[in-house]
Amino acid sequence: MIGIGLVGYGYWGPNVARNFRQVPGSRLVAICDQSPGRCEVASRAFHHCQVTSRYQDLLENPAIHAIIVTTPVGTHYELARLAILAGKDVLVEKPMTKTVAEGEALVQLAAEKRRILAVDHTFLFTEAVRKIKELIDQGELGELLYIDSVRTNLGLFHPDHNVIYDLAPHEISIVLHLVERDPISVQAHGVCHTSNGVENLAYVHLEFEDDFVAHFHLNWLAPVKIRQTIVAGSRKMIVYDDMERSDKLKIYNKGITIQTPTGVDARCQAGINYRSGDMLAPHLENQEALAVEAAHFVECVRDRTPPLVPGEDGLRVLRILEAAQRSLDSNGQRVPLQTPNRLSKAA
Ligand SMILES: NC(=O)c1ccc[n+]([C@@H]2O[C@H](COP(=O)([O-])OP(=O)(O)OC[C@H]3O[C@@H](n4cnc5c(N)ncnc54)[C@H](O)[C@@H]3O)[C@@H](O)[C@H]2O)c1
């Protein structure tokens, strides 16, 4: 039986706790939150679970094998570090840490102590993203051209981090997972509509080799919730609408073919022919991503196997976030990134 401890029972923690409670072969042993009010809420929801405001209680409990960190990002590094030092495996919320330096230290510590360090990039466990990945890997889309994503809402204005650190981890983790390579540069523009200097609207642009690009519109100040991504390939294109209850994915057999002119015509521009075929909406299992992720993490802890999203992948996302912040701070300048790494294919 794998014992689980959870620290941080605010907005997201209850979702994570609820899903871990249902994983066969694991037991939610304890929940910790520094707020007495949140402890009271947790006690009401989880009768058979220890609820405490002392993190030390989780660290010292031998029945806890793994700790899940669902606190604000500024606390991730220290809480995860203490957990690893106490011999626990760790699943930490996105973004993994506040800085790249913290992320590097955490990855190194986990490797030294032979502990599992996984990052909650929830969307990689959705049926929709799994299906898109499958279609790309099978060559169904042809050559990938771009990914264009919109993630807007009348969202919570966080005082301590901007909309990029809040929402871009989802987009970046999806793109890196799908294309299995890292961008060569990042550009970001953003604006703050309040007096605290924290950007609530941003546009982030990732440039990859071979003219592939990814672009995200991230916005806490929109009248409607939009979660829409276009994945465009030379053969087919996908529209992924996460707000749809069914038909989240629509695969369009649409695109262009370019005729290269020969002879006398070569002086003319290349001709563009439009292709417009059928649309297919594949059936997707209606499974909660967190449930799949919780079961996967428990399996990794039990079998000592590498997680789908190891700390190294959390670090890749962080490097892009930091570069995006540098670009934002310099009025949208293009920030080059170091030599692209291949994403580790752990699972
Ligand atoms: N994967 C996702 O889709 C997703 C969605 C939402 C939030 N998140 C992530 O989850 C994390 C938490 O976000 P949230 O919206 O739940 O925040 P929140 O502020 O609502 O909740 C955080 C909780 O942690 C507690 N806390 C803070 N420091 C603590 C400490 N040192 N020890 C014990 N308890 C402590 C607070 O009292 C609070 O109850 C963030 O990293 C966020 O990015 C992920």
Side-chain angles (χ1 to χ4, degrees):
M1 187 62 77
I2 301 297
I4 301 288
L6 179 133
V7 57
Y9 197 79
Y11 159 68
W12 192 241
N15 293 325
V16 178
R18 173 173 53 78
N19 278 287
F20 269 92
R21 178 163 63 176
Q22 291 159 7
V23 179
S26 82
R27 189 166 74 87
L28 187 58
V29 176
I31 294 175
C32 167
D33 198 294
Q34 67 183 13
S35 145
R38 294 310 299 166
C39 284
E40 216 178 295
V41 176
S43 300
R44 282 202 296 273
F46 294 90
H47 305 292
H48 302 296
C49 181
Q50 182 197 2
V51 176
T52 174
S53 59
R54 286 181 71 245
Y55 187 49
Q56 202 61 25
D57 291 342
L58 268 58
L59 299 177
E60 288 169 359
N61 190 336
I64 292 179
H65 305 98
I67 291 183
I68 305 160
V69 180
T70 52
T71 52
V73 60
T75 63
H76 288 181
Y77 171 66
E78 189 55 10
L79 295 174
R81 189 182 78 85
L82 291 172
I84 292 169
L85 288 175
K88 318 289 186 192
D89 295 316
V90 174
L91 170 63
V92 63
E93 261 315 318
K94 63 82 194 164
M96 181 169 74
T97 53
K98 195 159 183 169
T99 65
V100 168
E102 286 177 351
E104 285 172 346
L106 209 55
V107 167
Q108 196 181 339
L109 183 68
E112 274 168 26
K113 301 289 177 192
R114 296 178 174 275
R115 291 298 95 201
I116 289 169
L117 173 63
V119 187
D120 179 14
H121 289 162
T122 322
F123 281 85
L124 304 195
F125 295 88
T126 59
E127 276 299 306
V129 171
R130 284 161 172 245
K131 185 69 187 176
I132 298 172
K133 176 86 177 119
E134 188 185 303
L135 291 165
I136 290 173
D137 290 352
Q138 289 168 348
E140 276 290 304
L141 304 195
E143 184 197 343
L144 276 189
L145 304 176
Y146 67 85
I147 293 180
D148 194 304
S149 222
V150 182
R151 193 173 284 264
T152 74
N153 196 9
L154 199 54
L156 183 66
F157 277 61
H158 295 272
D160 54 348
H161 61 266
N162 64 22
V163 72
I164 294 182
Y165 273 76
D166 184 33
L167 301 182
H170 294 309
E171 305 302 347
I172 297 170
S173 62
I174 292 171
V175 169
L176 296 189
H177 178 68
L178 292 180
V179 305
E180 290 184 16
R181 57 202 162 114
D182 293 359
I184 54 172
S185 76
V186 182
Q187 275 174 283
H189 292 272
V191 62
C192 166
H193 292 111
T194 63
S195 56
N196 66 3
V198 177
E199 295 83 4
N200 54 275
L201 164 63
Y203 299 96
V204 178
H205 184 81
L206 310 185
E207 184 195 355
F208 291 72
E209 282 167 338
D210 306 329
D211 287 340
F212 174 77
V213 292
H215 191 85
F216 318 132
H217 168 195
L218 311 161
N219 194 346
W220 287 332
L221 185 56
V224 286
K225 185 168 178 173
I226 303 175
R227 300 274 184 267
Q228 203 174 71
T229 303
I230 297 175
V231 183
S234 56
R235 290 187 60 223
K236 290 183 184 170
M237 305 191 193
I238 298 176
V239 177
Y240 164 28
D241 188 343
D242 199 50
M243 297 309 295
E244 286 274 353
R245 289 180 76 83
S246 59
D247 297 348
K248 280 183 191 290
L249 290 190
K250 295 196 175 100
I251 305 163
Y252 291 88
N253 189 358
K254 282 190 179 191
I256 54 167
T257 44
I258 301 172
Q259 283 179 330
T260 311
T262 50
V264 178
D265 291 344
R267 279 168 295 166
C268 308
Q269 264 200 325
I272 301 220
N273 288 333
Y274 293 89
R275 254 184 323 99
S276 196
D278 292 340
M279 185 276 286
L280 175 81
H283 171 75
L284 301 175
E285 291 300 325
N286 197 11
Q287 262 185 313
E288 189 173 351
L290 266 180
V292 179
E293 184 173 4
H296 167 69
F297 180 69
V298 167
E299 194 182 296
C300 293
V301 172
R302 190 193 58 220
D303 301 343
R304 311 312 298 163
T305 47
L308 176 67
V309 189
E312 287 82 354
D313 287 356
L315 199 47
R316 286 190 172 99
V317 170
L318 274 176
R319 290 199 177 106
I320 296 169
L321 288 176
E322 258 192 24
Q325 187 62 47
R326 279 207 301 282
S327 175
L328 200 62
D329 294 342
S330 57
N331 245 330
Q333 265 191 20
R334 181 179 178 277
V335 175
L337 288 163
Q338 283 187 344
T339 328
N341 295 316
R342 302 291 296 178
L343 269 181
S344 53
K345 287 184 179 175

